[in-house]
Amino acid sequence: MFKRIREDINALLVKDPAARSKLEIFLCYPGLHAIWFHRLAHGFYRKKQYLLGRIVSHIARFLTGIEIHPGAKIGRAVAIDHGMGIVIGETTEIGEGCLLYQGCVLGGTSLSKGKRHPTLGKNVVVGANAILLGPIHIGDDAKIGAAALVLQDVPPNMTVVGIWGKKTLITKDEDEKAHSN
């Protein structure tokens, strides 16, 4: 348990340049708290104690402003930065090392039972207010730009921008150069 807590804190320390200390992250990062609440809620959900899971997730939403359905599956070292308004649906799967920014929605497009929310591969970045809808798959190391609307699968290492989520190929060197300025 303590190993996972350290891993969660270290993920934010690496992914948030504004983070100054592990203590600050532990005490003041609602995205981290939302993930911890989610683990508890997901545990109840897996034991078919659905009401308890929903109560825990409801309390977490009230305290953090981040809504994660207890059925969602979240990998290790996932970081939520400035998480207010994030919505993560029931059948969402988030791979290891992903980074989610404020207001993003991982939502469904169907009222049917079964898989109806996105699956994110490893190390995916989802920008502020991006909306990913339906049982789509976002490949490893993909980046979804702020305010993008994504309704189709995204291949690995692809960057998606725009209201209709246009696929663009930005090399890792170009991306690093843009972020170093």
Side-chain angles (χ1 to χ4, degrees), residues 66-85:
I66 299 165
E67 183 171 341
I68 306 173
H69 191 285
K73 296 177 183 172
I74 299 178
R76 299 175 82 98
V78 169
I80 297 175
D81 194 6
H82 303 289
M84 184 62 77

Side-chain angles (χ1 to χ4, degrees), residues 43-148:
F44 287 127
Y45 192 84
R46 287 180 48 207
K47 293 177 183 174
K48 300 192 185 313
Q49 296 177 347
Y50 302 118
L51 180 59
L52 282 175
R54 289 304 292 257
I55 290 170
V56 170
S57 70
H58 184 73
I59 291 168
R61 182 183 62 151
F62 176 76
L63 294 173
T64 67
I66 299 165
E67 183 171 341
I68 306 173
H69 191 285
K73 296 177 183 172
I74 299 178
R76 299 175 82 98
V78 169
I80 297 175
D81 194 6
H82 303 289
M84 184 62 77
I86 286 178
V87 177
I88 299 173
E90 178 183 21
T91 62
T92 299
E93 298 174 47
I94 302 174
E96 293 180 10
C98 289
L99 174 59
L100 308 177
Y101 285 101
Q102 71 271 10
C104 69
V105 174
L106 307 177
T109 56
S110 169
L111 297 177
S112 65
K113 299 282 184 189
K115 181 69 172 154
R116 60 189 186 282
H117 297 92
T119 297
L120 278 55
K122 294 180 181 178
N123 302 310
V124 172
V125 176
V126 181
N129 298 310
I131 300 174
L132 289 69
L133 297 177
I136 58 176
H137 186 270
I138 311 301
D140 294 350
D141 300 301
K143 291 183 175 62
I144 309 300

Side-chain angles (χ1 to χ4, degrees), residues 9 13 20-29 32-33:
I9 292 170
L13 199 56
R20 290 180 172 49
S21 72
K22 292 179 180 182
L23 182 61
E24 175 189 25
I25 292 168
F26 180 81
L27 295 174
C28 303
Y29 274 60
L32 179 66
H33 302 147

